[in-house]
Amino acid sequence: MTYDDYLDGKPVVVTAALTGGIHGKEANPNLPETPEEIAEAAAACEAAGASVLHLHAREANGERAFSTERFQTVTDAVRAATDDVIVQHSTGGTGAPTELRAEPLRTDPAPDMASLDMGPMNRGQHLTSENTRATVAALHEEMRERGIKPEVEVFNDGHLNEVLAVADDLAAPPSITLILGPGTLSVPSPRSLLHLVDHLPEGAEFTTLGFGRHQLPLTTLSVLLGGHVRVGLEDNVYYRRGELAESNAQLVERAVRIVEEFGRPLATTDEAREILGV
Amino acid sequence: MAERCQHLDYRREGDGKAFEVARAYCTVADRFVQPVTADICNARYDLDPTEHCEIYLDHHGVDGEESAGGTSDSDSVGDGEDGRKGSDP
Ligand code: SF4
């Protein structure tokens, strides 16, 4: 993916990350947690132009849920509330064992895509989301067995080395999410995103995910670089400095305005399936 | 095997917020904790309040001095700068 893709008017795939697994309504009361709330947000994001929905599940009290049963409830509700979206389940889970993190892959039907975190990420002083190579390999293997397209998550440029090491095993084209933000994520800057894009595997499609205040500028740059974009309350609870976002759809609507203002068409879900190889 | 944190409570109201279902509340920091932190508070998986929670460790300082909360829940899970949130993408 290149600037030529921008010039050629390649469609942009917009992913909405609705809920996440870290913060909840204590951070933004508009963040959807129950299956009903997630389904409502999903429908609104689809109407706003998102073709991929990145899903996490929660317990009734907002705490993290990993079980197939809980994901089934969420994914059923989302599929019932939407016309045609690409359903993407998270397999992330700081501190949770690999076996539990594989459970979201076992819904019926299987998700179209699932996240595959390519390595560790520190959280504060005492906690690391480990994502050992053994964990990555186990999750990837189960995705292959179930026909699930990996959404390869690159937390920093070292993780691109990890992607390159398994690139031959990834279903074509590799669909890579470049994550820029604080701590052990890639340094959130335009130059950093350019560097990451320069080192993508041959033929890869990339989606840019900027945390917090970096979401808006890096979304814009991704559009110019021929990439795709991910927005949503999982990654950013604010609309602008000091102002909480009203909804996931509000963030999707802004991303869509940027995409259209820069002259790239928004990918339909059929186009997104073709572009991402789902 | 680690034990659930002695400072954990489940509340529907507090810190200027209200919820329909009782949520994890830290009585040291006096606020609702993030879902990922609630797994530390409850000592789920291999997580342990005495090892992984900065609020706990700060409160039970190694020099024996107790402080009033200190490190934030946000800090303990690596949130983004300017109070904007990070995640487990
Ligand atoms: S945030 Fe830390 S100190 Fe507070 S209840 Fe949870 S584990 Fe205990």
Side-chain angles (χ1 to χ4, degrees):
Chain A
M1 303 195 70
T2 63
Y3 181 59
D4 285 342
D5 287 326
Y6 163 73
L7 295 175
D8 292 345
K10 180 173 183 167
V12 178
V13 178
V14 174
T15 297
L18 305 178
T19 301
I22 299 296
H23 52 269
K25 287 186 188 295
E26 81 292 338
N28 183 333
N30 302 318
L31 186 147
E33 292 181 342
T34 67
E36 296 75 23
E37 289 171 345
I38 295 171
E40 193 179 324
C45 287
E46 182 185 32
S51 50
V52 181
L53 300 176
H54 177 82
L55 305 177
H56 288 246
R58 299 292 187 89
E59 304 294 351
N61 62 5
E63 292 178 11
R64 299 190 299 172
F66 300 98
S67 69
T68 303
E69 186 183 21
R70 196 66 183 163
F71 263 85
Q72 190 72 55
T73 306
V74 171
T75 203
D76 285 349
V78 166
R79 287 176 194 274
T82 53
D83 284 335
D84 179 26
V85 291
I86 295 172
V87 172
Q88 183 183 92
H89 289 181
S90 172
T91 65
T94 302
T98 304
E99 182 54 29
L100 207 48
R101 290 173 51 182
E103 293 225 3
L105 303 175
R106 298 170 188 161
T107 55
D108 181 17
D112 301 297
M113 300 181 80
S115 61
L116 186 62
D117 302 347
M118 293 307 292
M121 172 169 58
N122 285 344
R123 292 196 176 282
Q125 297 298 314
H126 306 285
L127 197 58
T128 296
S129 182
E130 290 187 337
N131 302 312
T132 64
R133 286 180 178 146
T135 294
V136 175
L139 292 171
H140 189 196
E141 181 57 29
E142 185 153 348
M143 288 181 203
R144 274 190 294 209
E145 284 169 5
R146 304 215 67 208
I148 300 166
K149 173 87 182 192
E151 178 249 334
V152 176
E153 300 207 343
V154 168
F155 297 160
N156 54 53
D157 61 356
H159 291 185
L160 275 180
N161 285 332
E162 301 292 290
V163 177
L164 290 167
V166 299
D168 289 346
D169 295 334
L170 289 168
S175 176
I176 297 176
T177 301
L178 302 172
I179 305 172
L180 300 94
T184 38
L185 298 173
S186 289
V187 173
S189 72
R191 191 180 296 275
S192 181
L193 180 57
L194 289 168
H195 169 80
L196 291 161
V197 170
D198 277 348
H199 292 86
L200 288 168
E202 187 70 29
E205 295 288 333
F206 78 94
T207 296
T208 301
L209 188 179
F211 269 3
R213 64 183 167 144
H214 307 291
Q215 192 167 87
L216 179 60
L218 295 178
T219 289
T220 307
L221 183 55
S222 193
V223 172
L224 289 171
L225 295 176
H228 308 290
V229 301
R230 168 172 147 174
V231 297
L233 293 174
E234 168 170 351
D235 309 321
N236 171 31
V237 297
Y238 287 88
Y239 188 71
R240 59 172 68 92
R241 184 177 291 272
E243 181 183 325
L244 290 173
E246 291 170 8
S247 65
N248 279 290
Q250 185 190 28
L251 296 170
V252 171
E253 285 162 5
R254 180 167 65 181
V256 168
R257 283 199 301 275
I258 291 166
V259 168
E260 292 178 340
E261 198 66 35
F262 280 94
R264 281 181 69 188
L266 191 65
T268 64
T269 300
D270 280 347
E271 288 169 334
R273 285 184 196 281
E274 177 146 357
I275 290 167
L276 301 178
V278 174
Chain B
M1 179 134 162
E3 291 183 7
R4 173 187 150 130
C5 182
Q6 61 191 294
H7 305 298
L8 174 63
D9 194 11
Y10 274 81
R11 297 184 183 178
R12 290 179 54 191
E13 288 183 22
D15 187 24
K17 300 181 171 95
F19 300 101
E20 283 178 24
V21 179
R23 297 168 79 99
Y25 189 90
C26 174
T27 59
V28 174
D30 255 336
R31 61 170 171 264
F32 289 100
V33 303
Q34 294 184 325
V36 68
T37 307
D39 283 338
I40 302 175
C41 308
N42 282 287
R44 295 192 182 114
Y45 321 125
D46 283 330
L47 298 171
D48 182 348
T50 68
E51 197 180 322
H52 297 115
C53 177
E54 284 158 41
I55 297 171
Y56 185 99
L57 290 166
D58 188 45
H59 187 65
H60 297 270
V62 287
D63 60 1
E65 288 179 25
E66 298 213 340
S67 66
T71 316
S72 72
D73 172 42
S74 294
D75 289 338
S76 74
V77 293
D79 278 356
E81 61 268 63
D82 291 348
R84 299 179 189 211
K85 301 300 175 181
S87 194
D88 219 355

